[in-house]
Amino acid sequence: MSAMYVGAYWGARAEPASTCAARLARCLESLHGAHPALTSWCHKGRSHAGARRPVDVDPGSLTTLVERGRARRDVDDETIDELGFTGGMWNGQTPSVGLTFQCGATFMPIGNNMVLQLSGGGEGETLTEPAVARAVLDSLVNAWEPAWVTWTTDAWRNAQGAEPGRPVVGWLTYLRGVPAYGIPDELASVAMAGGVLVSAALTFAEVTEERILSVREALRGAGALDLRGGGSEVGS
């Protein structure tokens, strides 16, 4: 299976490290209840021991983690405020889940995002149970207030040829600011937190590349993909 991921994307939003950390904390707290594999996190590291060091999820510790990812110039170590903050962690268990984020950026070729890289097959299939998937999307949407979210794969993304910053359609696609009544009747959609959630199929296993392209064409024809999330869509 091509790499599966859930990506949330939004445009220019100048936020300090403390605000980004508060959003991250809300997201992690919500993900905690979505699936056992999302209950705890570890720092990334070059050694086995380093990659097993737990992430403290209290606001102060997360603010320090976010601040550590502030963009700086190589020459003089000066901060580059327009690039915001980057960071990442992983869950340290099976199924494996990686988490990366970029927040506080105002330079839109970079953009802001949070991406969950998900294991496919085996125990990873439990992450695609509809109730779990909806809980994961709710966590990202409520915490980060993104312009759009996609639950997709590298192969499906590449097949679409979407412009940088434009929504990429997946099994599940959230579009902020798009009303449910603006979605074509032939597509399964439901209102969700200031926007709409569109499903390409009832389950992840039922989705095909042809179905993804069909849903994308229907959404494009309805003008539902005209919003921009800023920067290049990142999934790997």
Side-chain angles (χ1 to χ4, degrees), residues 14-221:
E15 294 181 320
S18 59
T19 300
C20 290
R23 290 184 182 277
L24 179 59
R26 288 198 298 273
C27 188
L28 295 180
E29 181 180 7
S30 183
L31 287 173
H32 187 282
H35 189 278
L38 306 175
T39 56
S40 60
W41 300 90
C42 299
H43 292 276
K44 293 182 176 180
R46 296 181 179 179
S47 67
H48 178 79
R52 293 289 179 179
R53 188 163 55 92
V55 172
D56 294 322
V57 296
D58 63 276
S61 297
L62 288 179
T63 298
T64 299
L65 183 151
V66 172
E67 181 63 44
R68 196 180 302 134
R70 181 187 291 274
R72 294 181 180 275
R73 302 184 193 282
D74 293 332
V75 177
D76 53 15
D77 204 38
E78 286 293 312
T79 62
I80 310 175
D81 293 340
E82 61 268 29
L83 298 187
F85 312 90
T86 61
M89 57 190 76
W90 75 298
N91 66 336
Q93 58 179 295
T94 301
S96 177
V97 179
L99 182 159
T100 60
F101 64 85
Q102 170 113 29
C103 58
T106 57
F107 182 59
M108 280 307 88
I110 299 298
N112 294 294
N113 60 79
M114 176 173 162
V115 177
L116 293 172
Q117 291 281 355
L118 309 176
S119 299
E123 292 183 46
E125 292 183 2
T126 62
L127 291 164
T128 64
E129 294 176 1
V132 173
R134 177 58 193 265
V136 169
L137 258 73
D138 283 341
S139 299
L140 270 64
V141 170
N142 294 330
W144 295 101
E145 300 178 282
W148 54 281
V149 181
T150 182
W151 188 307
T152 194
T153 71
D154 292 342
W156 295 345
R157 177 193 65 196
N158 294 338
Q160 294 174 60
E163 297 177 40
R166 295 286 189 177
V168 169
V169 173
W171 166 41
L172 302 173
T173 309
Y174 166 79
L175 304 168
R176 180 173 293 277
V178 177
Y181 63 76
I183 301 300
D185 292 340
E186 68 267 24
L187 299 182
S189 64
V190 62
M192 177 183 174
V196 65
L197 178 64
V198 179
S199 304
L202 198 59
T203 67
F204 180 85
E206 295 176 279
V207 185
T208 63
E209 182 178 303
E210 290 73 22
R211 178 57 181 165
I212 291 290
L213 294 177
S214 175
V215 171
R216 180 176 184 83
E217 181 57 26
L219 290 174
R220 187 198 63 77

